[in-house]
């Protein structure tokens, strides 16, 4: 797909040289190819359409200089647009407060518990904080044990109440515990939930209202397909989250869901998670993500060779 | 419950009073398929099939078109060669199922559900905790074994997963059980050493029963996009996957990438996960799957 995209980007323009301008006529197929590449990268269908329409508007009338081929020009426009879209607002992570309260939420299996451990490790080792991990997942079998194992690996304490079936109360109690134990960051790991599960969405909204978080992070699997838009929107409607965490980026997914989410909720991606070990946490680079989504690495090198 | 207001209704409106499948209908079809994660190539293939069928059969009306569409898409979903899974009966004894997949898709939960169903159908079941890597993975499967009330074979965290798999198969033979279901750690398909570990797990099982495992069940998360195709290809290479289970279809994701997977790799889908409880497992039904693929509302 991506090889053929870069080939077609070049091929579509082979008759356009020198002072010629990009026109409606010579751009139609190229725009379609870019759209298809985006959809194959899991960018939402409608967003891919809107995005390529915008790219088309940008490209139309652009003069193709001798120094730059039409193919290169299109690559540049797509990459610039994508990078701008992925970046935007400055991704500050706020861990100030005493304690700062970080609420973690997302779908089942997206990587919340693993990320909670990683974040605690990061704040402890890189920011000199004293974190407390909170096991507010009262549903998943062995959820408390899982968090406890991770916490032991990184030398951080866990707050859990094995017999309490009230996640809101657990979260509240944890904050009191943090105060008495001089912990200045509280990270609340919650159960995975579907956006259409009313009861569960109400529960996490109640946790939010009870603990007044400093940051609310929406954790999403970077392999997610078209549904990323619905899910992100539903979680944002209920929680108005402050940032996104993209997980499992050590895989080979193009990660188009990142673009869809950014486009839909306009919230910054604050961290990326790329492994099962506690150290595999990274800040987010918009340009890298833009290139990954379009397989631009391949395209750019091909165009540069020409 | 998915609503009745589905794509077929939309198509009906789009073609009302028209005698051919026009651009608008095809655009609607494209949108419906692509937003269900069917992917570009397979969507184009379906549209071409529809165009050919319509040209050949002489398109008559909307009812016809709906039927053709259902038929063509269903034809892409391969049938399983045996139907034993439909009533959780066992083709051989002990029947060994190895469960594989990337991280967090629902392998362990699906095993809990399978154990429940096989047991309910009158089989003796044993579980094998060969995920010795992920934090508290053994504890999680142990809780499932207690819920369903079936025995579990396990070793300490960090021990060799192939050794646990070996023990489980041996124990299945010794205890004369009907079904053994073995959990493995989630692994991304692009990690070569982890995929080799899976091949080794499989080889070791054969030392006890030469044709084991009888089923290699690849679990896919229904909300995964096009990457699921690559997952299926890589797991197929490492373990000769024999069946698929698609989880989390109780959400709003449609799991359309399955069309490309079964069409290209000819692996049948056997189970659907629709929740986190032990009875939230369904036998895959082509017709229903294609129908919900097009349901527009939640
Ligand atoms: N390869 C890889 N695996 C990851 C990453 N993040 C999490 N995982 C794995 O994904 C699986 C699910 O992670 P969890 O942290 O348990 O996910 P969760 O969101 O807490 O799951 P629930 O609590 O069940 O909703 C585990 O096997 C993790 O080890 C990542 O960045 N890369
Ligand atoms: N809504 C829903 N959740 C599911 C389904 N199947 C599994 N889950 C949830 O998804 C999360 C991950 O499930 P697991 O069974 O732990 O997944 P896994 O593949 O064993 O994960 P790893 O071993 O960490 O790779 C858990 O929170 C499960 O409860 C399903 O069909 N629907
Ligand atoms: Mg968790
Ligand atoms: Mg598991």
């Amino acid at each position: 797909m991506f090889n053929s995209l870069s080939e077609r980007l070049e091929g579509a323009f082979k008759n356009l040289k020198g002072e010629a301008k990009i026109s409606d006529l010579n751009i139609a197929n190229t725009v379609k190819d870019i759209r298809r590449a985006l959809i194959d990268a899991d960018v939402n269908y409608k967003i891919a359409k809107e995005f390529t329409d915008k790219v088309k508007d940008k490209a139309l009338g652009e003069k193709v200089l001798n120094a730059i081929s039409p193919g290169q020009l299109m690559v540049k426009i797509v990459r610039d647009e994508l990078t701008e879209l992925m970046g935007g607002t400055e991704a500050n992570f706020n861990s100030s407060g005493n304690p700062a309260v970080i609420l973690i939420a997302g779908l089942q299996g997206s990587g919340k518990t693993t990320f909670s451990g990683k974040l605690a490790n990061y704040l402890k080792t890189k920011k000199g904080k004293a974190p407390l991990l909170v096991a507010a997942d009262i549903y998943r079998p062995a959820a408390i044990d899982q968090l406890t194992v991770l916490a032991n690996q990184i030398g951080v304490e866990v707050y859990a109440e094995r017999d309490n079936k009230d996640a809101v109360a657990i979260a509240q109690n944890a904050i009191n515990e943090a105060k008495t134990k001089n912990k200045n960051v509280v990270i609340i790991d919650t159960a995975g939930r579907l956006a259409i599960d009313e009861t569960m969405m109400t529960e996490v909204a109640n946790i939010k209202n009870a603990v007044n978080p400093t940051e609310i992070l929406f954790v999403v699997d970077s392999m997610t397909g078209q549904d990323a838009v619905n899910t992100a929107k539903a979680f944002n409607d209920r929680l108005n989250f402050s940032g996104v965490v993209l997980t499992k980026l050590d895989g080979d997914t193009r990660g188009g869901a990142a673009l869809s989410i950014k486009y839909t909720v306009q919230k910054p991606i604050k961290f990326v998670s790329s492994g099962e070990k506690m150290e595999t946490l990274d800040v987010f680079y918009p340009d890298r993500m833009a290139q990954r989504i379009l397989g631009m690495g391949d395209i750019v090198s091909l165009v540069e060779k020409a | 419950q998915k609503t009745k207001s589905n794509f077929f209704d939309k198509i009906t409106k789009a073609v009302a009073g028209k005698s051919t499948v026009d651009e608008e209908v095809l655009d609607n079809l494209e949108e419906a398929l692509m937003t269900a994660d069917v992917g570009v190539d397979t969507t184009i293939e379906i549209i071409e099939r529809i165009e050919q069928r319509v040209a050949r059969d002489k398109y008559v009306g909307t009812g016809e078109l709906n039927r053709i569409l259902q038929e063509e898409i269903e034809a892409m979903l391969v049938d399983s060669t045996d139907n034993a899974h439909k009533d959780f009966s066992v083709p051989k004894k002990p029947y060994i199922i190895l469960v594989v997949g990337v991280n967090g898709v629902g392998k362990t939960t699906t095993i809990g559900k399978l154990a429940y169903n096989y047991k309910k159908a009158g089989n003796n079941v044993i579980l094998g905790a060969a995920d010795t890597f992920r934090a508290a993975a053994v504890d999680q499967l142990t809780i499932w074994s207690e819920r369903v009330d079936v025995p579990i074979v396990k070793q300490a965290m960090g021990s060799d997963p192939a050794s646990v798999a070996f023990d489980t198969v041996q124990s299945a033979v010794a205890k004369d059980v009907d079904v053994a279901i073995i959990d493995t750690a989630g692994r991304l398909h692009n990690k070569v050493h982890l995929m080799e570990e899976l091949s080794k797990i499989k080889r070791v099982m054969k030392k006890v029963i030469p044709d084991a495992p009888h089923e290699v069940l690849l679990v896919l998360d229904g909300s995964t996009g096009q990457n699921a195709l690559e997952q299926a290809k890589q797991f197929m290479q490492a373990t000769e996957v024999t069946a698929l289970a698609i989880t989390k279809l109780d959400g709003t994701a449609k799991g359309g990438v399955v069309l490309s997977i079964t069409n290209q790799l000819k692996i049948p889908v056997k189970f659907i996960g629709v929740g986190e409880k032990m009875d939230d497992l369904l036998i895959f039904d082509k017709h229903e799957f294609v129908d919900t693929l097009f349901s527009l509302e939640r």
Side-chain angles (χ1 to χ4, degrees):
Chain A
M1 182 71 213
F2 296 99
N3 280 337
S4 70
L5 173 71
S6 42
E7 278 159 25
R8 275 186 275 175
L9 273 179
E10 288 298 281
F13 294 112
K14 59 177 178 290
N15 300 321
L16 193 68
K17 286 260 158 58
E19 72 288 348
K21 286 179 180 171
I22 290 181
S23 73
D24 250 328
L25 269 181
N26 55 42
I27 207 176
N29 283 329
T30 311
V31 168
K32 199 167 166 189
D33 286 339
I34 294 171
R35 179 182 304 159
R36 286 182 171 169
L38 289 171
I39 294 167
D40 263 339
D42 292 323
V43 174
N44 177 268
Y45 179 81
K46 287 203 179 86
I47 293 171
K49 253 189 166 155
E50 282 176 36
F51 178 80
T52 47
D53 284 347
K54 205 167 146 200
V55 164
K56 188 175 160 186
D57 288 346
K58 279 258 155 97
L60 280 181
E62 287 267 349
K63 218 180 205 169
V64 182
L65 307 168
N66 286 322
I68 191 165
S69 77
Q72 274 177 305
L73 188 58
M74 279 303 287
V75 168
K76 191 182 169 324
I77 294 169
V78 172
R79 188 170 58 184
D80 289 353
E81 278 298 308
L82 214 50
T83 307
E84 197 195 305
L85 214 139
M86 296 306 309
T89 28
E90 179 71 17
N92 267 327
F93 180 73
N94 185 3
S95 58
S96 61
N98 208 3
V101 178
I102 321 295
L103 179 62
I104 312 294
L107 293 183
Q108 285 94 346
S110 55
K112 295 175 295 299
T113 305
T114 308
F115 171 74
S116 299
K118 290 182 186 187
L119 183 65
N121 185 49
Y122 166 83
L123 292 172
K124 183 187 168 191
T125 59
K126 300 269 161 61
K127 302 285 169 190
K129 296 276 177 183
L132 178 68
L133 281 162
V134 182
D137 177 354
I138 52 173
Y139 307 97
R140 170 169 164 161
I144 297 174
D145 303 305
Q146 186 189 1
L147 192 66
T148 305
V149 170
L150 298 177
N152 287 340
Q153 284 174 18
I154 57 173
V156 167
E157 257 184 67
V158 171
Y159 183 83
E161 297 181 37
R162 287 197 184 259
D163 297 321
N164 195 343
K165 285 289 158 207
D166 181 351
V168 180
I170 294 170
Q172 282 173 316
N173 296 342
I175 290 173
N176 292 329
E177 175 92 349
K179 285 176 182 156
T180 57
K181 288 193 167 172
N182 281 326
K183 307 288 184 191
N184 53 17
V185 188
V186 175
I187 302 169
I188 306 172
D189 178 30
T190 62
R193 64 201 74 222
L194 293 172
I196 50 168
D197 188 331
E198 255 321 295
T199 317
M200 289 297 286
M201 290 306 281
T202 302
E203 181 201 72
V204 72
N206 288 343
I207 296 177
K208 177 193 168 174
N209 293 336
V211 301
N212 190 25
T214 322
E215 290 266 0
I216 303 173
L217 297 177
F218 173 61
V219 178
V220 62
D221 186 326
S222 59
M223 297 179 273
T224 311
Q226 297 286 317
D227 193 52
V229 165
N230 302 329
T231 307
K233 193 174 176 306
F235 273 82
N236 196 47
D237 285 350
R238 293 301 284 263
L239 296 177
N240 189 19
F241 53 72
S242 56
V244 177
V245 179
L246 272 184
T247 64
K248 308 181 197 172
L249 269 174
D250 45 330
D252 57 6
T253 183
R254 293 274 175 198
L259 175 70
S260 304
I261 292 168
K262 191 71 213 301
Y263 197 94
T264 306
V265 297
Q266 294 296 328
K267 295 288 170 69
I269 296 166
K270 297 203 171 177
F271 293 101
V272 303
S273 184
S274 53
E276 297 188 75
K277 301 224 174 71
M278 286 296 100
E279 304 76 42
T280 50
L281 184 72
D282 234 320
V283 292
F284 175 70
Y285 299 101
D287 51 338
R288 282 191 206 167
M289 197 66 217
Q291 297 195 18
R292 179 178 181 135
I293 290 173
L294 252 189
M296 288 290 247
D298 315 345
I299 299 173
V300 172
S301 64
L302 201 134
V303 172
E304 274 164 0
K305 259 187 285 162
Chain B
Q1 199 60 45
K2 307 247 152 96
T3 68
K4 285 266 177 274
S5 156
N6 64 23
F7 171 74
F8 296 112
D9 297 340
K10 198 170 161 186
I11 268 223
T12 305
K13 282 192 203 104
V15 293
K18 294 168 189 161
S19 58
T20 54
V21 185
D22 64 10
E23 277 296 306
E24 193 190 343
V25 177
L26 294 180
D27 279 355
N28 285 340
L29 178 57
E30 181 186 288
E31 179 174 348
L33 290 170
M34 287 189 183
T35 53
D37 286 315
V38 171
V40 173
D41 290 346
T42 307
T43 296
I44 290 173
E45 190 179 330
I46 292 170
I47 287 178
E48 279 169 359
R49 283 189 191 203
I50 300 296
E51 285 179 322
Q52 281 164 16
R53 272 285 294 272
V54 167
R56 194 180 64 224
D57 295 2
K58 292 275 182 303
Y59 172 59
V60 278
T62 57
E64 283 295 273
L65 181 67
N66 294 349
R67 190 180 50 75
I68 290 170
L69 192 52
Q70 271 274 1
E71 274 175 20
E72 289 297 336
I73 299 176
E74 277 179 36
M76 293 179 131
L77 291 160
V78 291
D79 287 307
S80 94
T81 48
D82 69 272
N83 285 324
H85 68 284
K86 291 188 177 165
D87 58 1
F88 296 95
S89 59
V90 205
K92 352 184 112 134
K93 190 179 169 179
Y95 189 62
I96 314 289
I97 306 174
L98 180 67
V99 180
V100 301
V102 302
N103 307 81
V105 288
K107 294 176 292 298
T108 307
T109 308
T110 302
I111 290 169
K113 296 172 183 177
L114 285 172
Y116 166 77
N117 280 288
Y118 275 109
K119 189 182 173 193
K120 207 171 72 173
N123 298 293
N124 287 316
V125 183
I126 193 169
L127 302 182
D131 179 357
T132 58
F133 176 74
R134 216 225 43 234
V138 177
D139 300 323
Q140 186 188 0
L141 192 68
T142 302
I143 291 174
W144 274 109
S145 78
E146 287 160 2
R147 264 187 199 172
V148 181
D149 193 20
V150 294
I152 179 169
V153 174
K154 56 186 172 186
Q155 294 180 16
M157 287 302 290
S159 52
D160 180 9
S163 159
V164 181
F166 182 85
D167 281 3
T168 310
V169 179
Q170 222 172 27
S171 181
V173 174
K175 290 185 175 154
D176 195 30
V177 305
D178 301 298
V179 195
I181 315 173
I182 297 166
D183 194 12
T184 61
R187 66 199 74 223
L188 292 176
H189 50 284
N190 59 339
K191 306 211 164 158
V192 177
H193 62 292
L194 292 179
M195 296 307 276
E196 274 166 6
E197 181 188 89
L198 265 192
S199 311
K200 181 187 165 194
I201 291 174
K202 209 182 143 189
R203 274 199 311 278
V204 164
M205 294 162 82
K206 289 188 187 302
K207 289 185 183 164
V208 189
I209 303 175
D211 64 348
H214 306 104
E215 184 96 286
V216 179
L217 185 67
L218 173 66
V219 181
L220 297 171
D221 183 327
S223 60
T224 304
Q226 299 309 300
N227 194 248
L229 183 58
E230 202 52 38
Q231 292 173 20
K233 283 181 186 163
Q234 297 303 327
F235 275 95
M236 187 76 179
Q237 279 221 327
T239 56
E240 293 159 71
V241 173
T242 57
L244 304 174
I246 319 297
T247 61
K248 309 183 193 175
L249 286 182
D250 44 330
T252 41
K254 300 283 177 24
V257 65
V258 170
L259 281 185
S260 311
I261 294 172
T262 74
N263 191 34
Q264 281 188 37
L265 304 177
K266 310 294 174 208
I267 314 168
V269 186
K270 289 195 174 171
F271 306 106
I272 295 285
V274 290
E276 301 183 75
K277 296 190 301 295
M278 56 190 169
D279 56 2
D280 289 331
L281 188 78
L282 302 178
I283 304 296
F284 179 73
D285 178 303
K286 264 183 178 189
H287 196 74
E288 261 172 44
F289 182 78
V290 175
D291 210 34
T292 52
L293 207 56
F294 291 118
S295 67
L296 292 175
E297 277 140 55
R298 294 173 188 182

